[in-house]
Amino acid sequence: MKTAGPSEAKARRGLELTPFRGLRYDPDRVGSLAAVTSPPYDVVVRPDGLHHLQSADPYNIVRLILPEAETPEARNAQAAATLNRWRAEGVLTTDPEPGLYVYEQRDGDGLLQRGIIGALRVSDPDEQLVLPHEDVMPHVVADRAALMLATSANLEPLLLTYPGDGSATATADLIERTAKTSPVLATTTEDGFHHRLWSLTDPEDLATVRTDLAGQQALIADGHHRWATYRRLRAQHPSPSPWDHGLVLLVDTARYPLRVRAIHRLLHGLPVTDALTALDGLFRVRRIDAALPEAMEALAEAAGAGNAFLLAGDGAFHLVDRPDPDLLARTVPADRPEAWRTLDATVLHSTLLDQVWHISEDSPAHIAYIHDTAATVEKAERDGGTAVLMHPVHEEVVRDLARQGVTMPRKSTSFGPKPASGLVLRAFDG
């Protein structure tokens, strides 16, 4: 009989979701649970959104995930001091027993998402247990790593998905049964989403989840930089240590399909007129005299036939499509699958940013990534830059490329709904 090699034995460990003692807000010490939550750190539109959240409640989680100070070192020290103070004051308290957390999000349009929050073992890429589908920016990973080190905590869960497809029915049934009981937390945030949280501490329930997940493979839906941070910090600390695990939300998309939206680009210092002039003869450009919803519909229609983008920032919308084939042949790398080479994000980064507009995607001074469509347009018009609005890619394409080990250009997709930050944290002394 063949003996499994080291890599095969390691791969068979599967996903391992570990209970932890959650750190949660005491509802009696804050204005409301909704007022202390926030979108994930990279979704907050700064500075407007940051200041709005700061004013919502003096204990809003943004003071931990996006601290403000003159230097990175001062920001991280401030976050650590704030976290310690809130814990000493009883604003944040540690649950008495280790557990996993069932988390539900529901909006007014019928969308329902349920999953399980826990501390996931940080695996190596060669185990192919947690699949990334986007590249990361080293400076963001360094920033998140410094913050986690300073606070000794995972302040917000990243979002992972797995296709249960009938193979994780025991966990699915457990989640459904749990959702019929009284939650430990319930709130409605200003975006209209209803959030509920339950704690799972029964040993049989925890064993059910552990057994079911052992055969699953997860896709990073949101949180590539935080997963890269988890891997970086685990490598820096001898095992066993708290850094062997990272806080995640796992959602079975066979039961609860996610929404996939685009992440838009804001190009600082590039007026729309200059951006359009550079496209002359390389792309077809048409002015769209319509409101934003109608302009986005025109983008969706054009994207069905090939690469297409919508530029804004001068009070109008400009549909950019039908790239010159010779231009693509010269600028898009040929050593990747066809599905990757034809992505809008690939053409944007390899062709438009690199070769036409000569903008570095690594420089926050030149480019920003914004999830909200209207906010991207408004900031471009206010700042004199160019908004590049994108059409979302299909989830099947994302998963297929991830399984091939091919990463998409950074910030290519926005899966949702994303878990709200501030509902449960993981502190390493808990």
Side-chain angles (χ1 to χ4, degrees), residues 264-275:
H264 310 295
R265 276 66 169 162
L266 173 61
L267 308 182
H268 303 297
L270 179 67
V272 175
T273 53
D274 292 351

Side-chain angles (χ1 to χ4, degrees), residues 24 95 101-104 117 182-186 195-199 423-424:
R24 297 190 293 113
D95 284 339
Y101 297 84
V102 172
Y103 176 45
E104 175 190 279
I117 295 175
S182 297
V184 298
L185 176 158
H195 306 263
R196 295 198 295 170
L197 192 76
W198 297 262
S199 176
L423 298 181
V424 60

Side-chain angles (χ1 to χ4, degrees), residues 110-235:
L111 185 146
L112 174 65
Q113 177 174 291
R114 292 180 179 140
I116 295 186
I117 295 175
L120 184 70
R121 178 178 69 87
V122 180
S123 54
D124 293 321
D126 60 6
E127 296 182 69
Q128 294 189 314
L129 292 175
V130 177
L131 303 177
H133 68 269
E134 290 183 359
D135 294 329
V136 298
M137 293 175 273
H139 74 276
V140 177
V141 175
D143 174 75
R144 291 294 102 184
L147 178 62
M148 288 187 201
L149 278 171
T151 57
S152 293
N154 297 150
L155 300 173
E156 48 185 346
L158 53 86
L159 175 61
L160 304 182
T161 71
Y162 64 96
D165 296 328
S167 61
T169 55
T171 294
D173 291 343
L174 172 61
I175 291 174
E176 298 306 310
R177 291 197 310 272
T178 301
K180 296 177 182 178
T181 65
S182 297
V184 298
L185 176 158
T187 190
T188 300
T189 46
E190 66 177 5
D191 58 4
F193 269 91
H194 307 285
H195 306 263
R196 295 198 295 170
L197 192 76
W198 297 262
S199 176
L200 295 177
T201 57
D202 182 88
E204 290 188 8
D205 291 340
L206 300 178
T208 293
V209 176
R210 181 170 60 249
T211 300
D212 265 9
L213 291 182
Q216 299 298 327
Q217 182 186 60
L219 175 73
I220 302 176
D222 184 69
H224 284 81
H225 289 90
R226 280 167 284 167
W227 181 255
T229 300
Y230 291 168
R231 292 192 54 246
R232 173 173 175 164
L233 293 174
R234 189 205 62 173

Side-chain angles (χ1 to χ4, degrees), residues 264-276 279 285-296 299 308-320 348 352 357 368 370 372-390:
H264 310 295
R265 276 66 169 162
L266 173 61
L267 308 182
H268 303 297
L270 179 67
V272 175
T273 53
D274 292 351
L276 294 174
L279 297 178
V285 178
R286 290 176 288 162
R287 182 185 173 103
I288 306 294
D289 291 311
L292 179 58
E294 289 76 21
M296 292 301 291
L299 172 62
F309 312 91
L310 194 66
L311 271 55
D314 62 349
F317 297 102
H318 308 271
L319 185 61
V320 175
L348 172 62
L352 288 171
W357 293 327
I370 303 177
D372 186 272
T373 308
T376 310
V377 175
E378 290 168 6
K379 289 180 70 64
E381 292 179 346
R382 185 172 65 235
D383 301 341
T386 294
V388 182
L389 306 181
M390 310 281 288

